[in-house]
């Protein structure tokens, strides 16, 4: 079992959690940036974390694990491997979350919804609606990283491997800008120095 510190250390080691001075898509600045896909590059690292997440639902009689594409595809797959169930993913068609590719959820089955990171939980809520649309029961939501600061209520049990609050600031009020030591970086747009 990994504790929160060890999980954060793994995320940092795989560059899924970067420290620095970042301009977020929102325009706000932050000292941390998360890109879970960086972790999912490494099955050796991601597999055991997903297994630990699955363990939190071991007694829930899960029939199916489902998560939203693309971030949760690998997580659903690894969690389902540990729970010995099947893994599905939802995707958007004309902006509407749905199951495609002939995927089906049996009415009355117990479904675990998974996601890499939740902040507002919008995608997860949409997946929950998809599951219920098949007449199945959402047994819980499992996420690798909960960034919601305890603000989300899905109406079903939410379990996270680790909770992480990333504070962000408007540019004019950014302590990192004021300090002036770290160059502002737009994640993904350039090489980030260690
Ligand atoms: Zn700044």
């Amino acid at each position: 079992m990994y504790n929160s510190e060890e999980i954060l250390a793994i995320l940092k080691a795989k560059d899924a959690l970067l420290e620095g001075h970042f301009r977020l898509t929102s325009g706000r600045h932050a000292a941390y940036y998360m890109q879970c896909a960086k972790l999912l590059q490494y099955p050796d690292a991601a597999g055991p974390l997903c297994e630990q997440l699955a363990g939190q639902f071991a007694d829930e009689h899960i029939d199916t694990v489902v998560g939203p594409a693309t971030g949760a595809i690998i997580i659903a797959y690894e969690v389902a491997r540990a729970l010995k169930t099947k893994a599905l993913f939802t995707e958007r068609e004309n902006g509407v979350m749905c199951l495609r590719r002939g995927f089906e959820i049996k009415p009355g089955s117990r479904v675990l919804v998974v996601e890499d990171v939740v902040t507002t939980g919008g995608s997860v809520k949409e997946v929950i609606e998809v599951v219920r649309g098949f007449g199945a029961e959402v047994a819980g939501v499992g996420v690798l990283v909960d960034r919601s600061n305890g603000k989300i209520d899905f109406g079903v049990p939410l379990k996270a491997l680790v909770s992480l609050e990333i504070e962000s600031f408007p540019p004019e009020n950014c302590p990192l800008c004021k300090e002036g030591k770290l160059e502002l970086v737009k994640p993904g747009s350039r090489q980030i120095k260690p």
Side-chain angles (χ1 to χ4, degrees), residues 138-149:
V138 177
V141 174
V143 301
L144 292 188
V145 183
D146 179 3
R147 289 186 47 191
S148 75
N149 194 20

Side-chain angles (χ1 to χ4, degrees), residues 78-92:
E78 288 293 329
V79 169
R81 184 205 300 276
L83 293 174
K84 297 184 169 34
T85 63
K86 73 173 177 180
L88 306 176
F89 57 88
T90 62
E91 52 201 313
R92 290 182 198 282

Side-chain angles (χ1 to χ4, degrees), residues 18-24 29-33 169 171 174-187 192:
L18 299 175
E19 274 181 277
H21 183 194
F22 302 101
R23 187 171 71 225
L24 309 178
H29 293 188
Y32 292 92
Y33 182 75
F169 312 92
C174 171
L176 296 162
C177 284
K178 283 194 183 117
E179 211 175 50
K181 284 182 189 161
L182 289 169
E183 194 189 347
L184 182 65
V185 168
K186 188 166 174 259
I192 290 159

Side-chain angles (χ1 to χ4, degrees), residues 44-63:
D44 283 358
L49 291 179
C50 290
E51 193 178 344
Q52 183 167 324
L53 182 62
Q56 301 196 44
F57 296 92
D59 301 325
E60 291 293 332
H61 308 286
I62 303 299
D63 300 302

Side-chain angles (χ1 to χ4, degrees), residues 3-194:
N3 62 33
S4 295
E5 267 179 25
E6 289 165 336
I7 292 164
L8 290 174
I10 293 169
L11 292 171
K12 285 180 187 173
K14 302 305 180 192
D15 284 341
L17 179 60
L18 299 175
E19 274 181 277
H21 183 194
F22 302 101
R23 187 171 71 225
L24 309 178
T25 324
S26 63
R28 293 169 70 89
H29 293 188
Y32 292 92
Y33 182 75
M34 269 220 76
Q35 178 49 273
C36 231
K38 288 283 187 73
L39 167 74
L40 303 175
Q41 293 178 112
Y42 305 103
D44 283 358
L49 291 179
C50 290
E51 193 178 344
Q52 183 167 324
L53 182 62
Q56 301 196 44
F57 296 92
D59 301 325
E60 291 293 332
H61 308 286
I62 303 299
D63 300 302
T64 299
V65 182
V66 61
T70 51
I73 294 176
I74 291 170
I75 294 165
Y77 193 84
E78 288 293 329
V79 169
R81 184 205 300 276
L83 293 174
K84 297 184 169 34
T85 63
K86 73 173 177 180
L88 306 176
F89 57 88
T90 62
E91 52 201 313
R92 290 182 198 282
E93 193 170 37
N94 302 321
V96 181
M97 195 72 89
C98 59
L99 282 182
R100 300 176 67 186
R101 302 165 199 274
F103 286 160
E104 286 177 358
I105 297 174
K106 281 196 185 127
S109 60
R110 285 176 62 77
V111 177
L112 173 62
V113 175
V114 296
E115 176 64 300
D116 52 1
V117 181
V118 290
T119 309
T120 61
S123 297
V124 167
K125 286 176 190 163
E126 291 174 75
V127 176
I128 288 173
E129 288 314 305
V130 170
V131 172
R132 289 182 177 153
F134 280 87
E137 186 187 348
V138 177
V141 174
V143 301
L144 292 188
V145 183
D146 179 3
R147 289 186 47 191
S148 75
N149 194 20
K151 284 180 194 131
I152 305 181
D153 182 8
F154 293 118
V156 297
L158 167 65
K159 292 177 183 177
L161 273 194
V162 66
S163 293
L164 179 68
E165 206 188 331
I166 297 181
E167 208 178 347
S168 67
F169 312 92
E172 64 276 12
N173 196 20
C174 171
L176 296 162
C177 284
K178 283 194 183 117
E179 211 175 50
K181 284 182 189 161
L182 289 169
E183 194 189 347
L184 182 65
V185 168
K186 188 166 174 259
S189 66
R190 68 203 302 182
Q191 198 68 35
I192 290 159
K193 292 166 196 155

